[in-house]
């Protein structure tokens, strides 16, 4: 922590709270030298900082966090010191989880962008917060703002944030929690705000960075019982429009139509995806392989074989090369019949 940063701490705390500033500034000098004194001094400052937080002032807690992080204390000492701060902040955060503008977000963003990644990795309490953070931005219509904030994070902090979204599909679980944590049948739930929330999920860039091109977003929403196929078909235009990756959306929608044996509708969406969006390389291969499967299941064998012959095999990724091999074997068996 440099002199300028210390000056900012003194100025902020002198005008916002009764936190003992000398004690706070001494924290970084005690770290690594006297663990007992280090922890004792933190407890003293934390008491006043928590009192300030209860009054709506998060500045003391933020700077206490920064002072601990900048100290010479060992990693385990810092984790021990920050644990109670996270616990108190977590209580405040959960009291406000249903608000559109949770007051915990600025604190989370500031500590996430300023904390050493090694320390962040050890603070297990924070592991699920990125998904809540991204989801609140989603329902508030500020996904772009979160993306801007995310893009300016240090690279390793970005990786940890993204891991928080990805582990056990936490971003999708946040959507499930908001719609209905005990969801059984989507037909029993009111259409709004469910469809509206799903559209916001589809608009969020993170939702599609978490899965590859063939991640089947619509299929996933159906498998998690957020939508029925019939609801998807009824709302397909608005859901396609909401989808941040429409090239993927037409492909996925075609698959759902195929699985419901609506082959003409499936082919129509394949054609929309091929004509309305530039498809090349592996993505073009995805479309042509799916079109081959649709035609095969529809019994249109000649068209199926012709389409399969146009697949750019050399540009397929490993997943689609395996799929190509399976289709090729299936067509060989078909010719033997």
């Amino acid at each position: 922590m440099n002199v300028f940063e210390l000056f900012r701490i003194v100025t902020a705390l002198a005008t916002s709270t009764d936190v003992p500033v000398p004690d706070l500034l001494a924290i970084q000098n005690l770290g690594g030298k006297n663990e007992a004194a280090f922890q004792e001094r933190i407890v003293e400052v934390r008491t006043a900082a928590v009192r300030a937080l209860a009054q709506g002032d998060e500045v003391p807690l933020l700077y206490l966090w920064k002072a601990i992080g900048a100290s010479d204390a060992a990693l385990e000492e810092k984790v021990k010191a920050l644990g109670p701060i996270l616990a108190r902040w977590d209580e405040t955060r959960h009291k406000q989880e249903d608000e559109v503008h949770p007051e915990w977000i600025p604190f989370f963003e500031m500590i996430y962008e300023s904390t050493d990644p090694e320390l962040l990795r050890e603070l297990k309490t924070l592991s699920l917060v990125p998904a809540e953070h991204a989801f609140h931005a989603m329902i508030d219509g500020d996904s772009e703002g979160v993306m801007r904030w995310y893009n300016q994070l240090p690279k390793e902090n970005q990786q940890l944030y993204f891991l928080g979204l990805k582990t056990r599909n936490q971003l999708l679980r946040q959507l499930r929690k908001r719609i209905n944590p005990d969801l059984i049948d989507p037909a029993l739930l009111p259409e709004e705000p469910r469809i509206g929330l799903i559209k916001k999920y589809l608009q969020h860039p993170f939702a599609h960075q978490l899965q590859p091109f063939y991640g089947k977003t619509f299929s996933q929403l159906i498998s998690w019982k957020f939508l029925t196929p019939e609801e998807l078909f009824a709302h397909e235009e608005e859901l396609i429009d909401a989808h941040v990756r429409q090239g993927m959306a037409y492909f996925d929608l075609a698959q759902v139509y195929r699985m419901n044996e609506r082959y003409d509708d499936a082919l129509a969406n394949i054609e929309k995806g091929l004509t309305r969006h530039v498809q090349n390389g592996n993505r073009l291969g995805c479309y042509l392989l799916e079109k081959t499967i649709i035609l095969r299941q529809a019994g249109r064998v000649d068209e199926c074989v012709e389409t399969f012959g146009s697949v750019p095999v050399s540009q397929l990724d490993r997943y689609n090369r395996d799929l190509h091999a399976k289709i090729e074997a299936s067509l060989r068996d078909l010719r033997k019949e």
Side-chain angles (χ1 to χ4, degrees):
M1 186 180 296
N2 57 37
V3 174
F4 179 70
E5 184 70 6
L6 291 177
F7 176 77
R8 288 179 58 196
I9 292 175
V10 173
T11 303
L13 295 181
T15 58
S16 67
T17 183
D18 58 352
V19 171
V21 174
D23 286 353
L24 179 61
L25 300 183
I27 286 173
Q28 62 177 340
N29 296 321
L30 287 172
K33 300 174 182 176
N34 186 330
E35 181 179 354
F38 178 71
Q39 298 293 347
E40 182 180 350
R41 187 66 57 87
I42 287 171
V43 169
E44 295 173 0
V45 179
R46 187 169 61 226
T47 299
V50 167
R51 185 165 58 248
L53 179 67
Q55 298 171 355
D57 184 3
E58 64 193 11
V59 171
L61 210 59
L62 173 65
Y63 281 118
L64 173 58
W65 182 287
K66 288 188 174 185
I68 294 170
S71 74
D72 295 328
L75 181 63
E76 58 270 19
E77 289 183 45
K78 294 181 182 181
V79 172
K80 180 180 177 181
L82 293 176
I85 296 178
L86 278 179
R88 182 63 186 90
W89 170 72
D90 205 42
E91 291 174 13
T92 305
R93 179 169 64 90
H94 282 105
K95 287 178 183 178
Q96 302 164 351
E97 68 176 359
D98 292 328
E99 297 183 12
V100 175
H101 293 282
E103 295 177 6
W104 56 264
I105 286 180
F107 180 80
F108 169 75
E109 291 183 347
M110 286 185 281
I111 65 174
Y112 214 92
E113 65 193 31
S114 62
T115 303
D116 181 82
E118 185 180 17
L119 182 55
L120 271 183
R121 195 175 291 110
E122 294 299 318
L123 297 170
K124 307 302 183 184
T125 308
L126 285 175
S127 62
L128 299 181
V129 183
E132 294 182 43
H133 175 253
F135 189 77
H136 276 291
M138 182 190 304
I139 62 174
D140 190 31
D142 191 33
S143 295
E144 290 186 5
V146 169
M147 287 301 295
R148 287 194 297 271
W149 170 82
Y150 170 81
N151 288 332
Q152 60 84 38
L153 286 176
K155 186 176 180 179
E156 290 186 73
N157 297 46
Q158 283 185 351
Q159 293 171 346
L160 289 170
Y161 184 92
F162 194 74
L163 182 63
L165 301 179
K166 187 174 183 179
T167 303
R168 298 180 63 243
N169 217 340
Q170 287 300 325
L171 189 58
L172 188 61
R173 289 176 186 274
Q174 282 294 317
L175 179 62
R176 187 178 200 175
K177 180 180 177 182
R178 181 56 64 109
I179 289 176
N180 188 334
D182 301 311
L183 187 59
I184 298 175
D185 183 354
L188 300 178
L189 297 174
E191 185 171 290
E192 291 293 348
R194 185 164 50 95
I195 299 297
L197 285 175
I198 289 171
K199 286 163 63 176
K200 288 185 176 182
Y201 175 81
L202 293 171
Q203 290 168 343
H204 202 301
F206 282 140
H208 307 288
Q209 291 182 7
L210 292 171
Q211 53 193 325
F213 172 73
Y214 45 83
K216 306 174 185 177
T217 305
F218 291 141
S219 305
Q220 192 175 46
L221 292 172
I222 290 170
S223 70
W224 279 54
K225 299 185 182 298
F226 293 168
L227 287 172
T228 62
E230 292 73 22
E231 286 177 318
L232 172 61
F233 302 151
H235 294 276
E236 68 173 64
E237 290 188 10
E238 55 188 295
L239 292 174
I240 287 284
D241 287 342
H243 207 297
V244 76
R245 290 172 60 184
Q246 289 189 354
M248 177 179 175
Y250 285 115
F251 173 85
D252 189 15
L253 183 57
Q255 287 190 317
V256 179
Y257 271 121
R258 171 175 59 81
M259 289 185 287
N260 285 269
E261 300 182 354
R262 294 178 56 170
Y263 302 122
D264 289 341
D265 291 317
L267 289 169
N269 278 283
I270 288 293
E271 294 307 317
K272 288 177 184 177
L274 287 171
T275 56
R276 298 182 183 181
H277 299 273
V278 175
Q279 313 289 357
N280 49 45
N282 182 64
R283 179 169 293 193
L284 175 61
C286 288
Y287 264 91
L288 294 177
L289 288 172
E290 177 61 26
K291 184 176 181 180
T292 299
I293 296 171
I294 296 167
L295 291 168
R296 171 71 175 87
Q297 293 184 7
R300 295 161 61 171
V301 178
D302 291 342
E303 295 171 81
C304 165
V305 172
E306 181 182 356
T307 300
F308 185 68
S310 63
V311 174
V313 181
S314 64
Q315 299 179 49
L316 297 179
D317 62 15
R318 183 164 59 181
Y319 172 88
N320 284 299
R321 286 198 300 272
D322 291 344
L323 179 59
H324 182 275
K326 292 176 182 178
I327 295 174
E328 187 173 37
S330 173
L331 293 179
R332 279 199 303 267
D333 292 340
L334 180 64
R335 295 188 186 100
K336 294 176 182 177
E337 295 176 0

